[in-house]
Amino acid sequence: MTARPAALYIHWPFCLSKCPYCDFNSHVRDRIDQDRWRDALLADIDIAAGDGENRDITSIFFGGGTPSLMDARTVGALIERAALHWKLAHDAEITLEANPTSVEAGRLADYRAAGVNRVSLGVQALDDTALRFLGREHSAGEALAAIDAARRLFDRFSFDLIYGRPGQTPDAWQVELARALTLAGDHLSLYQLTLEPRTAFYRRAQAGEALILDADGTAALYEITQAMLDEAGLPAYEISNHARPGAECRHNLAYWRYDDYIGVGPGAHGRVTTVGEKAATRRIRSPEAWLDALDRGADVLADRTILTPDEQMTEAVMMGLRLAEGLPLSRLRAIGGAAADGLIDARRVEDLVEEGYLDAADGLLRATAAGRERLDAMLGHLLA
Ligand code: SF4
């Protein structure tokens, strides 16, 4: 039987403090029982592997929360357990998200020894005032030291910055980005600051504080970002992700190309094909409730829904148009057969091409940089 490729995501749900803009499934706890969490995540991998499907794991991604708060031994044990159940590709990309506090940066060598071969650092800004505004635990000096350690220890590393802070001028962003480019490896993630419901920033903004740039200001910074990163040879391969060709994050490409991925740990999502059916899976979100379900031998899934071909094609469009490489229409036909041709209205495609948001040629639909900047609105029109 041919093995089906899949990416494996492992969620560590704890952080030292909650950043005021963050709506991820991340929690602050006084004490974390590392042994209990290692055993629980191992047990969840066993559960995920219990569907009997033969899979090739092409990448593992430790995300969070803050996975650099995990014991390196736990990371090693989880990689080993994955390799026990599935065929772990010899060149599998194994990424760990790390925060740059000095304690966490001090663990990078241990993560490498445990099998991690790529790190992604949550740097977010290169000056202390901005870091304080963003509620981060690290200083700019610690960020620089962590980038330096990542460069020494890993062939592949990335770091994140957030732009669109209030008062951030195009000139200031240009200077910060130019500095980031002198520090970067082959990959950078550059996110716009947004106000997500259920965050402290959102509540403060509702009370009248200006916490993000207005739309025009953010659009100007987006354009600067595209131009500078193109010029530096790290074009956008996704809305917020830039890399030299070949240095893209293979794990995240699996999401956007709509390949299978398995999600393990509290709140983790998956798209998993079993016996020819693709299911959307979501594990229990609360760390304690997820642990409790494991202890009781109860189901750790909060939801498992078999996706119809129409639902799969819609998801494949939403994911694929994030990528600069575009969406091959053959991907939709592989899911929906002849029904793929009815999914997208040719007139709407023409409108979007005329307006400069979409390219459609050679069996590909490709959002332009302007289209990727307004992807939600464009998808709303395309899939209406
Ligand atoms: S460290 Fe990351 S995951 Fe944790 S609260 Fe901050 S932004 Fe969210």
Side-chain angles (χ1 to χ4, degrees):
M1 193 169 61
T2 333
R4 173 178 284 279
L8 173 64
Y9 174 79
I10 300 175
H11 191 76
W12 179 263
F14 302 116
C15 291
L16 291 176
S17 59
K18 185 78 182 175
C19 302
Y21 56 86
C22 174
D23 73 340
F24 293 162
N25 186 21
S26 63
H27 307 265
V28 179
R29 299 287 182 266
D30 291 342
R31 201 184 148 270
I32 298 157
D33 183 339
Q34 291 274 349
D35 289 345
R36 190 165 177 220
W37 272 85
R38 179 196 59 229
D39 292 348
L41 286 166
L42 287 169
D44 202 5
I45 290 183
D46 294 345
I47 290 168
D51 64 10
E53 287 276 331
N54 191 12
R55 299 183 200 280
D56 281 347
I57 296 295
T58 50
S59 62
I60 301 178
F61 194 102
F62 292 93
T66 306
S68 48
L69 299 177
M70 291 170 93
D71 272 356
R73 280 169 307 178
T74 300
V75 171
L78 292 167
I79 296 170
E80 232 172 73
R81 186 63 64 92
L84 186 75
H85 287 301
W86 299 293
K87 183 165 175 282
L88 184 61
H90 73 278
D91 61 347
E93 175 190 271
I94 304 183
T95 303
L96 182 129
E97 288 183 331
N99 275 342
T101 68
S102 51
V103 175
E104 292 161 81
R107 295 196 187 110
L108 293 181
D110 294 338
Y111 293 131
R112 189 182 73 162
V116 170
N117 54 29
R118 181 177 183 275
V119 288
S120 175
L121 293 170
V123 166
Q124 316 311 5
L126 292 172
D127 80 78
D128 286 331
T129 309
L131 288 168
R132 270 194 300 277
F133 167 74
L134 293 169
R136 303 292 303 189
E137 289 276 337
H138 62 274
S139 65
E142 284 177 307
L144 296 181
I147 292 170
D148 193 47
R151 178 193 309 288
R152 273 188 286 105
L153 289 163
F154 295 93
D155 291 338
R156 301 180 70 217
F157 76 96
S158 178
F159 62 86
D160 303 353
L161 293 179
I162 294 179
Y163 66 93
R165 302 187 297 268
Q168 193 175 24
T169 63
D171 283 352
W173 176 230
Q174 247 163 348
V175 170
E176 189 171 355
L177 206 44
R179 182 142 178 252
L181 282 165
T182 66
L183 302 166
D186 292 339
H187 191 289
L188 271 180
S189 299
L190 303 165
Y191 297 105
Q192 291 180 7
L193 182 59
T194 52
L195 293 174
E196 303 298 330
R198 295 188 303 277
T199 62
F201 267 10
Y202 185 85
R203 288 189 291 278
R204 285 167 53 189
Q206 295 286 87
E209 262 187 272
L211 293 165
I212 55 170
L213 269 186
D214 61 18
D216 287 349
T218 309
L221 302 196
Y222 176 81
E223 271 154 38
I224 288 169
T225 307
Q226 307 312 307
M228 286 182 70
L229 274 283
D230 280 352
E231 168 84 21
L234 283 81
Y237 67 97
E238 190 266 349
I239 298 171
S240 309
N241 286 283
H242 298 255
R244 287 192 201 288
E248 299 86 357
C249 173
R250 298 201 288 269
H251 183 86
N252 288 341
L253 281 178
Y255 300 149
W256 297 319
R257 289 178 177 161
Y258 207 52
D259 295 333
D260 270 16
Y261 57 94
I262 299 162
V264 159
H269 289 251
R271 290 291 180 278
V272 186
T273 306
T274 314
V275 208
E277 286 187 317
K278 189 154 181 152
T281 62
R282 182 168 50 83
R283 277 160 159 71
I284 295 169
R285 184 176 164 93
S286 142
E288 286 73 22
W290 172 87
L291 260 188
D292 181 57
L294 275 171
D295 284 351
R296 289 185 291 111
D299 197 348
V300 287
L301 287 177
D303 187 41
R304 180 175 185 280
T305 304
I306 302 291
L307 298 169
T308 64
D310 270 2
E311 288 167 337
Q312 291 179 49
M313 288 191 292
T314 301
E315 287 194 339
V317 172
M318 292 167 70
M319 290 286 123
L321 288 183
R322 301 180 68 95
L323 288 172
E325 69 182 18
L327 166 78
L329 295 175
S330 56
R331 186 174 300 153
L332 302 183
R333 296 206 186 96
I335 299 169
D341 298 329
L343 181 76
I344 294 171
D345 182 85
R347 279 262 311 281
R348 290 172 190 265
V349 170
E350 268 171 39
D351 289 350
L352 291 166
V353 170
E354 243 167 57
E355 288 160 19
Y357 297 132
L358 194 66
D359 290 332
D362 305 324
L364 265 185
L365 279 184
R366 215 179 59 81
T368 61
R372 289 198 298 277
E373 195 189 352
R374 301 162 181 80
L375 189 63
D376 287 346
M378 196 175 76
L379 287 169
H381 185 66
L382 202 57
L383 297 168

